[in-house]
Amino acid sequence: MNNFNFSLKSAFSAAISVLLVSSLAACNPASTGASSDRQAEAPLAGAEIGGSFSLVNQDGGTTSDSDFAGQYRIMYFGYSYCPDVCPIDLQKLMQGLALAEKEDSEIAKRVQPLFITIDPERDQPEQLKQYVSAFHPRLIGLTGSPEQIADIAGKYLILYGKRDDADTTEYLVDHSRQAYLFGKNGEPIALLPYDGTPREIADEIKRWAT
């Protein structure tokens, strides 16, 4: 096992521990108040995930977290050269979002999907524009400098690193696999079931994005 994989597993285990503690705290009546409070019941309520960012979008302009004030946000981290999990996850997530939009037209106004690359070296705006357009017409692709990507990845508990494969000419990038739903003020709400069906994803979006 190389050092990166060991560090990846160790850090990810620590991140999961934080989420579990936060989830347990959210279920404690003494700390959450009324059980009817939707936000108090959110699985990730109180978790220290997220933060401000300012990145380059697929059109070459600047997109910041403040642009989505008052909107829910679906956030998925990956890269366009990913040969398997990223396109499959994005397809399911965006199919779920499309289904939710079909059943509730207001969802399109309330929820903004975002795709953040963890491979800024190759994922330039023009590459992202072609990529995100294949999944959903409103999906925004974001990139930036390696330092900017490292900063946002740290805030959102995303671990990543180039795979050291000497036998390949195109490198792969190992990365955490999470699909987040954030609230109107940028607060973490839930992990969307990226490995579920579009129906399950739509139901989870509609459950929280009210």
Side-chain angles (χ1 to χ4, degrees):
M1 180 181 295
N2 60 40
N3 290 334
F4 170 74
N5 285 335
F6 178 79
S7 300
L8 181 67
K9 288 187 176 181
S10 299
F12 189 64
S13 295
I16 291 298
S17 296
V18 171
L19 296 185
L20 288 175
V21 170
S22 299
S23 297
L24 289 174
C27 294
N28 184 347
S31 63
T32 61
S35 60
S36 60
D37 185 347
R38 181 197 63 81
Q39 192 57 36
E41 295 175 350
L44 298 184
E48 295 183 5
I49 307 172
S52 61
F53 61 84
S54 183
L55 298 170
V56 179
N57 60 45
Q58 73 263 34
D59 294 316
T62 300
T63 293
S64 303
D65 60 293
S66 58
D67 296 335
F68 310 112
Q71 287 182 296
Y72 294 87
R73 307 137 207 197
I74 295 172
M75 298 184 70
Y76 182 86
F77 291 75
Y79 66 113
S80 69
Y81 288 83
C82 180
D84 39 40
V85 296
C86 295
I88 293 173
D89 290 351
L90 272 179
Q91 182 180 41
K92 288 184 177 180
L93 287 166
M94 294 304 101
Q95 286 176 343
L97 176 59
L99 180 57
E101 290 172 333
K102 181 179 180 180
E103 296 173 346
D104 179 356
S105 60
E106 292 299 308
I107 289 289
K109 299 177 183 178
R110 294 198 299 263
V111 180
Q112 175 60 55
L114 303 171
F115 172 77
I116 303 92
T117 183
I118 43 81
D119 183 20
E121 181 178 333
R122 291 182 294 187
D123 280 341
Q124 297 299 306
E126 59 273 13
Q127 173 68 18
L128 283 180
K129 187 166 187 174
Q130 180 180 5
Y131 188 71
V132 298
S133 65
F135 298 100
H136 193 284
R138 293 194 302 107
L139 180 60
I140 295 175
L142 298 175
T143 187
S145 68
E147 293 76 18
Q148 287 175 311
I149 296 303
D151 179 65
I152 188 173
K155 291 176 179 177
Y156 288 80
L157 301 185
I158 300 297
L159 305 169
Y160 67 97
K162 289 183 182 179
R163 187 182 300 177
D164 186 15
D165 291 333
D167 297 333
T168 62
T169 56
E170 291 291 341
Y171 63 85
L172 298 176
V173 183
D174 293 317
H175 62 91
S176 305
R177 196 177 172 196
Q178 284 109 272
Y180 291 118
L181 179 66
F182 284 85
K184 295 180 179 180
N185 297 312
E187 73 280 11
I189 293 178
L191 291 170
L192 295 178
Y194 59 81
D195 55 351
T197 65
R199 173 74 274 162
E200 291 170 333
I201 293 168
D203 287 344
E204 195 71 359
I205 292 171
K206 291 168 63 179
R207 178 184 180 187
W208 301 110
T210 58

